[in-house]
Amino acid sequence: MSGILEGKRVLITGVLMESSIAFHTAKLAQEQGAEIILTAFPRPTLTERIARKLPKPAKVIELDVTNDEHLGRLADVVGEELGGLDGVVHSIGFAPQDALGGNFLNTPFESVATAMHVSAFSLKSLTMACLPLMQNGGSVVGLTFDAQYAWPQYDWMGPAKAALEATSRYMARDLGKQNIRCNLISAGPIGSMAAKSIPGFGELASVWDSRAPLEWDLKDPEPAGRGVVALLSDWFPKTTGEIIHVDGGLHAIGA
């Protein structure tokens, strides 16, 4: 029996650790029949090492999503490897340390601008760089952390994620005519490298212990990865501009 991504070609960003959602997305995508290519920055060698743990070999290319030169050559590099693309996974987020950990009111604009550029604007930049390879339509899937709320310690990553969510909706509007779907997975907290960079992450994650209807495991990125793979597949052919929560149901609970 073939997988739900049989014959699909997918570019996946953000594979930094085996514990990341991006790694599990890559693993599941291969298991479901996809050919994948990975991007990495600033240390492609780290991603190459992690990629050896995937079921099949996967090429890793260097990509800084804030670098116009990198973005400009992306389509040629990926095209030579895969011929085209059917899916793009945006798993990129970064904020300087002074934009996190309770420093919201004192963060300088330069740090806010960096968070917005890397975490939100890059969804548009990455998609447009890949657009020449998506001649038959496809699916763009990003990862967010529910931007409806102000979370402890999360500070300017919250507005950055809100911008990411709005960007995805506008992309869904403008790319629908090319049969390209743009959706996000809103995942619960995972003990990834990105999470470890947030001061006080434990305080934020502890909310899930008391409020999530379904038991949530910080060490299990696979449910979120399954959500990404489902949105990459043809099983959501008319879903775009959507945010699917894979958070144990916490988003539905008031207190």
Side-chain angles (χ1 to χ4, degrees):
M1 182 177 178
S2 61
I4 62 172
L5 295 186
E6 193 68 36
K8 302 287 187 188
R9 300 156 298 177
V10 181
L11 179 144
I12 301 174
T13 65
V15 176
L16 295 175
M17 299 174 65
E18 195 172 356
S19 60
S20 70
I21 295 172
F23 174 85
H24 283 262
T25 296
K27 177 177 179 289
L28 289 163
Q30 286 188 334
E31 291 172 351
Q32 291 298 317
E35 289 184 82
I36 68 170
I37 191 165
L38 307 177
T39 75
F41 188 81
R43 294 172 58 194
T45 53
L46 175 61
T47 298
E48 287 170 354
R49 188 162 64 247
I50 299 300
R52 296 191 191 108
K53 300 181 180 182
L54 291 170
K56 301 176 183 177
K59 183 177 179 65
V60 177
I61 58 177
E62 183 179 25
L63 175 65
D64 174 1
V65 288
T66 68
N67 184 314
D68 289 340
E69 183 179 337
H70 284 201
L71 292 165
R73 66 178 184 235
L74 182 63
D76 288 339
V77 175
V78 176
E80 288 178 10
E81 187 72 17
L82 298 181
L85 282 174
D86 305 289
V88 175
V89 177
H90 180 278
S91 180
I92 300 169
F94 172 77
Q97 283 297 299
D98 62 355
L100 299 165
N103 195 47
F104 186 86
L105 297 179
N106 300 308
T107 303
F109 176 71
E110 291 75 15
S111 296
V112 174
T114 296
M116 291 290 179
H117 193 175
V118 177
S119 307
F121 186 77
S122 65
L123 178 65
K124 192 277 295 188
S125 303
L126 176 65
T127 302
M128 294 307 293
C130 293
L131 197 60
L133 300 172
M134 303 179 77
Q135 295 298 313
N136 298 315
S139 176
V140 177
V141 185
L143 289 164
T144 189
F145 189 74
D146 203 330
Q148 298 179 85
Y149 307 107
W151 296 102
Q153 312 299 328
Y154 206 49
D155 291 356
W156 282 100
M157 275 304 293
K161 289 298 187 183
L164 174 73
E165 293 175 8
T167 300
S168 181
R169 288 189 288 269
Y170 278 92
M171 285 174 46
R173 181 195 70 180
D174 290 350
L175 294 177
K177 58 183 176 291
Q178 298 179 54
N179 197 32
I180 293 174
R181 297 170 283 124
C182 301
N183 297 288
L184 299 175
I185 291 292
S186 182
I190 297 295
S192 63
M193 182 177 289
K196 291 175 180 177
S197 70
I198 301 172
F201 174 75
E203 179 187 349
L204 186 157
S206 67
V207 175
W208 266 254
D209 293 336
S210 58
R211 287 180 51 199
L214 298 175
E215 183 179 357
W216 186 255
D217 185 354
L218 289 172
K219 298 178 181 178
D220 186 10
E222 186 168 316
R226 284 175 177 260
V228 175
V229 168
L231 286 172
L232 288 170
S233 79
D234 294 330
W235 284 96
F236 284 87
K238 298 300 179 184
T239 297
T240 194
E242 187 59 270
I243 300 174
I244 303 294
H245 289 82
V246 182
D247 67 348
L250 183 135
H251 72 281
I253 305 301

